[in-house]
Amino acid sequence: MNKYIIQGGHPLSGVVTVSGAKNAAVAILPAALLVNGTCRIENVPDISDVRLLLEILDSMGAKIRRLSPNTLELCCTNVRDSEASDALVRRIRASYYFIGAQLGRFGHARVALPGGCNFGARPIDQHIKGFEAIGATVDLKDGFVCAAAPADGLTGGRVNLDVVSVGATMNIMIGAVLANGTTVIENAAKEPHIVDLANFLNAMGAKVSGAGTDVIKIRGVRSLHGGNYSIIPDQIETGTYMAAVAATGGDVLIQNVIPKHMDCISAKLREMGVKIAEYDDAIRVQRTGVMRRANVKTMPYPGFPTDMQPQIAVCMSLASGVSVITESIYDTRFGYCAELNRMGASIKVDTKVAIITGVEKLHGCTVRACDLRAGAAMVIAGLAADRTTTIEDIEYIERGYENLIGKLTAIGAEIRRVSVPDGTAVPAAV
């Protein structure tokens, strides 16, 4: 069993550099199936989700060269018309992008229903609605999504999403770029990684417009060609480090950032008394005094992201007064609150609302990562707490954070990763 051991209570100080956006990379890599030629993709995060996707592509016949830890050459020209490995697909939520990619490339797809973090139902009905709008026949059979295009290929259509869905927006984009005619997605999600996927596709010869607005148009092209692309910085990784500084105190310069993407997070931390200074491609975060209470309601971009909800909850647990978080995206994303309460937090959850009464300090103990972002919250809580915190189930965290131990250690955290047999006591710090 792998665990993180944290000796908390140390303010963070120094410089940290953000990696490429996980949520962009996990869509761009499957989208490379559509490209006839070699893609050189830079700023690819070295995380377990990306490694899984590359393993899936390799098993399908893609040629992959790692030019540096964060730069890949990917050629899918000779990829076989074969199914992605069920065992690998079921380990990662973003594997559903292979449905759109295989449908667009081969005219059919059979992909196992994906896995990933478990914090409530995340149906793919909007994905299916989109694929059907461009002419595909879609069925769910024995745990697989089976999609097929007509004999004469996919044809552009109009999709009005019933709810704002990031995954559906991106998957429909991927499936439609090689379709005949124009596809229009209404009520589209606007997140930065959607714009990044559109920019990647356009760099390879697609014709996607409107990404970043609620109406996206995809004018189908005959083929995509190879090219170069660099993935944007990760908004949520940036926000996680911002929340870590706010919770522990200190002064950290966060580099490789697009400050505009951080507006909603920066505004909330400023409201809580944290100092935020913005530069061209960096943000400086400082916190010395006691944080103030605040309220948060998660919303689609440009609102406060649901993926930052657990991290801001740690800050609220250490703020003066009573804060309220309302979760409007997922039904059961407050599982981590019980873990924070074990560390001395005071959080009461009623369905999709968490009421947080600030406490003077948190206390280290053994907790678990319920999912990726809940795990990040546990790390932040451990950094802010007194005594030692042990975090279990860290494989969730490593799905989305590159070199977390190295980056945190460089700014003053005392955190280490240990591997111990199940049931064995964690070795003492040296």
Side-chain angles (χ1 to χ4, degrees), residues 103-108 134-137 147-155 178-180:
L103 186 61
R105 170 75 182 268
F106 303 119
H108 58 87
I134 58 177
T137 300
D152 55 353
L154 299 170
T155 303
L178 298 180
N180 299 309

Side-chain angles (χ1 to χ4, degrees), residues 240-273:
T240 298
Y241 287 119
M242 293 172 72
V245 180
T248 63
D251 181 351
V252 173
L253 181 69
I254 307 172
Q255 297 181 327
N256 190 34
V257 171
I258 300 177
K260 180 65 178 174
H261 292 171
M262 310 310 302
D263 281 352
C264 54
I265 299 168
S266 297
K268 190 56 59 175
L269 289 175
R270 286 187 177 113
E271 182 183 333
M272 296 178 71

